[in-house]
């Protein structure tokens, strides 16, 4: 039975007692004292009280301990399991300490003796109603705060990312932003996403139109990134998104890098299917927050020069390894330019130009000549790494026509930055990687040797290694490994003392039947026929 009146601030009160006089008394007191503020529901057993609690959803409950079937304490335990916020008063005709202790343990707000006293009931209910009001107000305030945070957090996140990727950004690595975001990790990685209508060289076609399309999908794209990575996602920058991935350690292990690339590949595929545009991802290295601009530049370099949909900078980047007989400052500029990191190139170029211009033993023309020579040397270094250097003559003319030292310095810095942007960066020189990989295969071909094993030994991802191996050798990895094994088998078959099974095992195969099929596919004859031919020719 449910009775009540509609009012402003309502409290739902459940009354459970098998004695009608008790529930009638409580209803009378509540209606007389609180009127429209309360709505009551009555149950005459513990089971009915539980069932009613599910539909009525009371704020307050009065439960008699001694009810038929399920007693008041058991009913209270069930009801509070459904709704932990309900305030329960336990009623009893017996002054039993154990009952009282159990009621309080289960979360009762009070333990009342029958017969009920009107003044006490009103006082207790008034106090509990105030508690409920405070809890409701707190929930409302929390929701309002959450709503405000939901509106503000994207601005905080975007400010945080901008502070990290700006060359002249915060030297503290956005510490205030990190505090607001409760970001505890000491390091991070930049992953930059780029999209377009189709691939165009190493970039994307129609970046403006693609950026407009991206704005329509921004919320979905940002949510999808967060499905794959714990990430902070920037607002759209042209046709790019910058994602900051917090990281707990200073270094990214090889296995972790492979997992990150694989997740990014899946993410890029999902983004392509959702937006209907081609996506690429470039991933920088782990950096402390104060150096995140470098990870950002690395991610852009990986995007610019990577051949696959996802490229990690460690699959590309190296410093120039040639020892050149030049001055220390020249070496610093060359290292910065050949590393392809623009802000380092600008920084070292600034120092180089400043020292050249301030040298008391040289004239302005001497400083200009040093910078021209440095420009030529840096261009040769970049070209040696496979980079294309357009506009060389324009850069040269800009230095030769500079009217004063400040203009000369600025033009020299810009020229070094442009060269850094042209760098084709590789992890070691590609021929060195493949030569080392070939030697590794020759030494370990008898094992169950997968492409992933060899790529790990070379220190680059399997995806990049597979492409590089084919480019350098003209055959894919499997063909090369099989060729090595078949040549070894031919040599071993020349020894009649070795069984075919032994030759099979010593050539890296487990199954003799499979070995025979592969051998015949490559040579046109079976291992037995090959051995017979060798023996006959002797």
């Amino acid at each position: 039975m449910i009775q009540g009146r509609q009012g402003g601030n309502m409290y739902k009160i459940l009354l459970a007692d098998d004695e009608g006089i008790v529930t009638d008394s409580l209803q009378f007191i509540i209606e007389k004292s609180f009127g429209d503020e309360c709505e009551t529901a009555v149950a005459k057993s513990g089971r009915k009280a539980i069932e009613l609690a599910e539909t009525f959803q009371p704020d307050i409950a009065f439960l008699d301990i001694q009810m038929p079937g399920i007693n008041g304490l058991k009913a209270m335990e069930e009801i509070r399991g459904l709704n932990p916020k309900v305030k329960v008063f336990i009623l009893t005709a017996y002054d039993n300490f154990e009952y009282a202790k159990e009621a309080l343990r289960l979360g009762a707000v009070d333990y009342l003796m029958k017969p009920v006293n009107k003044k006490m009931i009103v006082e207790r209910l008034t106090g509990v109603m105030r508690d409920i009001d405070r809890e409701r107000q707190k929930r409302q305030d929390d929701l309002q705060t959450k709503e405000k945070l939901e509106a503000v957090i994207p601005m905080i996140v975007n400010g945080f990312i901008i502070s990290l990727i700006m060359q002249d950004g915060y030297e503290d690595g956005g510490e205030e932003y990190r505090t607001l975001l409760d970001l505890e990790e000491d390091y991070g990685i930049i992953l930059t996403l780029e999209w377009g209508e189709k691939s165009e060289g190493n970039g994307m076609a129609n970046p403006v139109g693609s950026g407009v399309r991206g704005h329509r999908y921004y919320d979905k794209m940002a949510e999808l990134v967060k499905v794959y990575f714990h990430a902070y996602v920037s607002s759209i920058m042209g046709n790019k998104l910058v994602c900051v991935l917090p990281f707990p350690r200073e270094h990214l292990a090889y296995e972790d890098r492979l997992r990150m690339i694989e997740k990014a590949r899946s993410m890029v595929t999902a983004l392509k299917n959702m937006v209907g545009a081609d996506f690429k991802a470039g991933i920088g290295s782990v950096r402390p927050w104060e150096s995140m601009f470098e990870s950002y530049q690395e991610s852009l370099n990986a995007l610019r020069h990577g051949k696959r949909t996802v490229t990690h900078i460690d699959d590309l980047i190296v410093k120039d390894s040639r020892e050149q007989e030049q001055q220390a400052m020249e070496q610093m500029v060359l290292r910065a330019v050949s590393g392809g990191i623009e802000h380092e190139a600008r920084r070292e170029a600034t120092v180089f130009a400043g020292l050249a211009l301030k040298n008391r033993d040289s004239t302005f023309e001497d400083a200009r000549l040093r910078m021209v020579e440095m420009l030529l040397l840096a261009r040769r270094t970049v070209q040696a790494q496979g980079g294309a250097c357009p506009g060389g003559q324009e850069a040269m003319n800009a230095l030769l026509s500079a009217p004063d030292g400040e203009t000369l310095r600025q033009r020299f810095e810009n020229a070094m930055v442009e060269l850094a942007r042209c760098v084709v960066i590789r992890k070691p020189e590609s021929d060195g990687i493949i030569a080392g990989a070939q030697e590794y295969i020759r030494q370990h071909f008898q094992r169950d040797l997968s492409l992933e094993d060899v790529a790990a030994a070379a220190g680059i991802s399997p995806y990049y290694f597979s492409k590089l191996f084919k480019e350098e050798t003209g055959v894919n990895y499997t063909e090369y490994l099989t060729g090595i094994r078949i040549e070894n088998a031919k040599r071993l078959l020349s020894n009649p003392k070795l069984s075919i099974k032994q030759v099979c095992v010593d050539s890296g195969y487990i199954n003799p039947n499979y070995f025979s099929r592969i051998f015949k596919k490559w040579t046109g004859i079976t291992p037995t026929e090959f051995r017979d031919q060798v023996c006959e020719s002797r």
Side-chain angles (χ1 to χ4, degrees):
M1 180 177 70
I2 298 177
Q3 297 179 359
R5 300 176 229 165
Q6 296 302 313
N9 193 18
M10 291 290 294
Y11 306 92
K12 292 184 175 183
I13 304 177
L14 171 64
L15 309 174
D17 197 304
D18 59 333
E19 297 181 65
I21 190 171
V22 175
T23 55
D24 290 345
S25 298
L26 286 171
Q27 272 189 307
F28 177 78
I29 293 170
I30 291 167
E31 290 179 0
K32 190 75 173 174
S33 304
F34 301 100
D36 292 343
E37 293 182 40
C38 297
E39 179 182 357
T40 59
V42 175
K44 294 190 177 296
S45 68
R47 182 174 64 81
K48 289 292 185 183
I50 295 168
E51 292 172 352
L52 194 54
E54 292 183 14
T55 56
F56 183 58
Q57 294 291 306
D59 302 300
I60 302 167
F62 287 84
L63 303 176
D64 179 37
I65 288 182
Q66 299 296 333
M67 287 188 289
I70 300 174
N71 67 32
L73 293 178
K74 291 293 184 182
M76 173 186 172
E77 190 171 10
E78 290 287 334
I79 291 170
R80 282 184 56 80
L82 296 170
N83 178 11
K85 292 185 175 65
V86 65
K87 312 295 183 184
V88 178
F89 291 92
I90 289 294
L91 301 173
T92 182
Y94 306 98
D95 187 6
N96 187 308
F97 176 72
E98 290 302 320
Y99 279 162
K101 187 168 69 172
E102 179 65 8
L104 294 174
R105 185 188 71 80
L106 293 173
V109 295
D110 213 337
Y111 183 85
L112 304 177
M113 296 290 297
K114 296 179 183 179
V116 291
N117 177 282
K118 177 182 176 182
K119 182 180 179 182
M120 180 181 293
I121 292 295
V122 172
E123 286 179 355
R124 297 291 197 276
L125 272 177
T126 300
V128 167
M129 287 174 180
R130 289 199 189 104
D131 291 341
I132 292 171
D133 289 342
R134 282 192 290 269
E135 290 174 5
R136 287 174 176 175
Q137 187 62 48
K138 184 177 183 304
R139 284 197 295 273
Q140 186 176 347
D141 293 343
D142 288 346
L143 284 173
Q144 289 176 347
T145 301
K146 187 175 181 181
E147 285 179 354
K148 291 176 182 177
L149 280 175
E150 288 298 322
V152 171
I153 281 177
M155 292 186 284
I156 296 174
V157 167
N158 207 51
F160 171 55
I161 294 173
I162 295 298
S163 76
L164 297 179
I165 67 174
M166 293 293 288
Q167 181 175 350
D168 299 320
Y170 294 77
E171 294 181 356
D172 62 359
E175 184 174 0
E176 290 186 6
Y177 287 112
R178 285 186 279 129
T179 300
L180 290 171
L181 295 169
D182 291 327
L183 207 167
E184 297 180 353
E185 290 87 349
D186 294 325
Y187 304 93
I189 299 169
I190 296 289
L191 183 153
T192 302
L193 284 166
E194 182 182 30
W195 62 92
E197 293 180 359
K198 61 178 180 179
S199 296
E200 188 176 78
N202 289 338
M204 291 287 183
N206 191 16
V208 176
S210 299
V212 172
R213 172 186 279 184
H215 278 283
R216 297 201 301 268
Y217 287 93
Y218 171 74
D219 290 336
K220 291 182 178 179
M221 288 195 295
E223 286 304 313
L224 186 58
V225 170
K226 293 172 187 175
V227 168
Y228 287 89
F229 295 101
H230 168 38
Y232 296 95
V233 183
S234 74
S235 58
I236 290 177
M237 301 179 183
N239 64 331
K240 292 183 176 66
L241 281 179
V242 178
C243 309
V244 176
L245 316 182
F247 199 72
R249 299 181 299 280
E250 188 175 1
H251 299 291
L252 181 68
Y254 177 78
E255 294 78 11
D256 292 334
R257 191 208 316 168
L258 296 189
R259 281 192 289 270
M260 179 176 289
I261 292 171
E262 188 59 40
K263 283 204 296 183
R265 282 165 58 84
S266 298
M267 178 183 70
V268 163
T269 300
L271 286 167
K272 178 179 179 179
N273 292 336
M274 181 176 72
V275 179
D278 285 335
F279 275 78
K280 290 182 70 176
I283 306 173
S285 60
V286 179
R287 300 279 184 171
W289 296 118
E290 296 79 8
S291 303
M292 287 304 290
F293 178 74
E294 296 171 11
S295 186
Y296 174 57
Q297 287 294 309
E298 290 169 343
S299 73
L300 293 180
N301 277 325
L303 266 181
R304 188 179 300 125
H305 302 297
K307 304 297 183 184
R308 306 185 68 87
T309 55
V310 177
T311 304
H312 191 285
I313 194 64
D314 284 350
D315 286 336
L316 299 178
I317 191 166
V318 292
K319 304 295 183 182
D320 192 316
S321 61
R322 295 172 299 173
E323 293 294 333
Q324 302 180 31
E325 297 292 333
Q326 295 185 15
Q327 297 180 2
M329 287 310 304
E330 292 176 342
Q331 287 293 327
M332 295 295 287
V333 175
L334 286 178
R335 289 194 191 99
V337 171
S338 66
I341 300 176
E342 296 167 28
H343 88 284
E344 287 186 2
R346 185 179 294 279
R347 182 184 64 205
E348 298 303 337
T350 301
V351 175
F352 180 90
L355 291 176
L357 289 165
K358 291 177 183 178
N359 190 340
R360 296 180 181 178
D361 298 327
S362 63
T363 64
F364 172 68
E365 290 304 323
D366 291 334
R368 188 201 303 274
L369 180 60
R370 283 198 66 189
M371 290 183 220
V372 168
E373 291 173 345
M374 189 74 248
L375 174 63
L376 293 171
L377 186 56
R379 281 179 60 79
R380 286 200 296 270
T381 300
V382 171
Q383 288 170 339
Q385 291 181 226
C389 305
Q393 191 59 49
E394 289 84 346
M396 180 73 69
N397 292 338
L399 295 184
L400 293 173
S401 62
D404 53 55
E406 180 60 22
T407 304
L408 178 63
R409 180 186 63 78
Q410 290 178 359
R411 292 180 180 180
F412 178 71
E413 290 173 10
N414 291 339
M416 293 300 104
V417 170
E418 287 301 317
L419 284 174
R421 289 174 180 163
C422 295
V423 170
V424 175
I425 39 183
R426 291 193 172 105
K427 185 154 174 92
E429 293 297 329
S430 61
D431 56 350
I433 291 180
I434 300 309
Q438 288 173 311
E439 179 60 27
Y440 186 85
I441 293 168
R442 285 192 290 270
Q443 291 179 5
H444 300 89
F445 70 88
Q446 293 173 319
R447 290 170 29 194
D448 181 14
L449 192 64
S450 68
L451 181 144
E452 288 75 15
D453 294 333
V454 182
I460 61 177
S461 73
Y463 315 108
Y464 185 62
F465 173 77
S466 177
K467 180 177 178 62
L468 200 58
F469 193 91
K470 181 69 178 290
E471 288 176 354
E472 295 292 329
T473 65
V475 297
N476 64 37
Y477 166 76
T478 302
E479 291 173 326
Y480 184 82
L481 175 62
T482 303
I484 293 289
R485 287 173 167 172
I486 295 302
E487 288 305 313
N488 180 73
K490 288 180 180 179
R491 181 179 59 80
L492 296 178
L493 287 168
S494 300
N495 182 356
K497 295 181 180 179
L498 293 175
S499 67
I500 300 295
K501 184 176 181 180
Q502 186 63 47
V503 172
C504 165
V505 173
D506 289 346
S507 298
Y509 295 100
I510 298 174
N511 188 320
N513 292 329
Y514 178 73
F515 166 63
S516 294
R517 287 199 303 271
I518 293 295
F519 191 92
K520 184 173 183 179
K521 181 179 177 181
W522 275 70
T523 64
I525 57 178
T526 66
T528 302
E529 290 169 339
F530 180 86
R531 170 169 280 175
D532 291 343
Q533 287 183 4
V534 171
C535 293
E536 288 174 3
S537 65
R538 288 179 176 173

